[in-house]
Amino acid sequence: MRRVLERALSAALAASLFAASAPARAADANAEVLAQINFARTHPQDYARKLMLQPVSDWERGLDGGADPQALAEAIAFLERQTPLPPLRADDSLTAAALEHVEAQGPAGEIGHDSADGERFDARLRRHGVEGETSGENIAYGPAQADDVVRELIIDSGVPNRGHRRNIFYDAFETAGVACGPHRDYAAMCVMDFAGSPPPPTLEPLELHTIRVADLGPAPCATRNFLYRLLACR
């Protein structure tokens, strides 16, 4: 019963942050996530210092730590050597594709890149008129604040190949669309869709990369019932 009540309270908090009845607030949250991503892309060394100044965020204190103790230090080292990249331009088609996924998954408590009928994320993007030949998608389940969403994706704790970070710093991506909202089971979710030009021929071809729930170890809900899931696809 206690967990049920805690989950209800978490969902209520997320709903207050990303309320469907308050589209202006939701739009502000989406824009802030993209702004945080662009800050990291354009000023990676400054973002590294930001992580060093706050080794543990308030949100992370509610999680069971220790599964990937080197993730923070490894992220800082990556950022310190990362070449600054151009900011991603907001794209209405990508935003619409991301919002569709949030509106479909959130109330139903679903996870993953595919729709309930099996449509892949890249097909969803094309259906919304996305013209980029290279595309990717990050999904965060759990964090409700923009700072926490982007921080967790860049640190990428528990994700061996750091797929979310790779998407954020992939130099072929030029545009992005973000949509965040409440999720029935994980309190909040945020979908980030990316598109751009094809990579140079010397780069390895892009592969589908999905971080499944089972790959992330035990759910960190044992302490305070915060549910933390990240999915990356490219």
Side-chain angles (χ1 to χ4, degrees):
M1 177 62 71
R2 181 179 177 182
R3 289 191 174 184
V4 172
L5 291 175
E6 288 177 344
R7 181 174 295 182
L9 289 173
S10 295
L13 174 61
S16 69
L17 292 169
F18 303 118
S21 60
R25 181 179 298 176
D28 289 344
N30 300 341
E32 180 60 22
V33 169
L34 183 55
Q36 290 286 328
I37 289 173
N38 280 334
F39 173 69
R41 280 175 62 95
T42 57
H43 300 89
Q45 287 74 42
D46 289 338
Y47 200 94
R49 285 189 285 273
K50 178 179 178 180
L51 293 182
M52 286 187 281
L53 289 172
Q54 189 181 26
V56 180
S57 70
D58 292 340
W59 186 79
E60 287 167 341
R61 290 190 180 95
L63 304 175
D64 286 339
D68 192 356
Q70 299 303 315
L72 176 63
E74 192 264 328
I76 291 171
F78 169 90
L79 291 164
E80 288 179 332
R81 63 177 182 269
Q82 171 64 37
T83 302
L85 298 172
L88 299 170
R89 303 187 307 276
D91 181 89
D92 291 342
S93 297
L94 287 167
T95 301
L99 179 60
E100 177 186 309
H101 206 48
V102 170
E103 291 179 339
Q105 285 198 336
E110 297 172 350
I111 64 170
H113 297 284
D114 296 349
S115 66
D117 63 3
E119 182 184 38
R120 284 171 46 95
F121 89 96
D122 50 346
R124 169 167 35 92
L125 267 55
R126 289 194 297 271
R127 180 161 50 76
H128 280 273
V130 175
E131 298 179 353
E133 296 183 50
T134 301
S135 60
E137 180 170 85
N138 282 354
I139 308 178
Y141 300 91
Q145 300 286 352
D147 279 354
D148 291 325
V149 169
V150 178
R151 175 190 174 95
E152 301 311 318
L153 294 170
I154 289 177
I155 296 176
D156 233 1
S157 178
V159 182
N161 66 358
R162 313 302 190 203
H164 312 94
R165 186 194 305 158
R166 288 169 52 205
N167 277 349
I168 289 174
F169 291 97
Y170 187 51
D171 57 3
F173 288 151
E174 300 166 338
T175 56
V178 178
C180 303
H183 190 280
R184 188 193 68 187
D185 295 334
Y186 302 143
M189 66 176 294
C190 194
V191 177
M192 291 138 277
D193 286 326
F194 308 95
S197 303
T202 55
L203 293 183
E204 295 181 2
L206 298 178
E207 297 179 356
L208 179 69
H209 169 65
T210 303
I211 303 302
R212 301 295 183 187
V213 172
D215 297 329
L216 299 179
C221 57
T223 53
R224 294 171 59 186
N225 200 38
F226 284 107
L227 300 176
Y228 176 30
R229 300 287 185 269
L230 299 176
L231 296 171
C233 194
R234 169 150 64 87

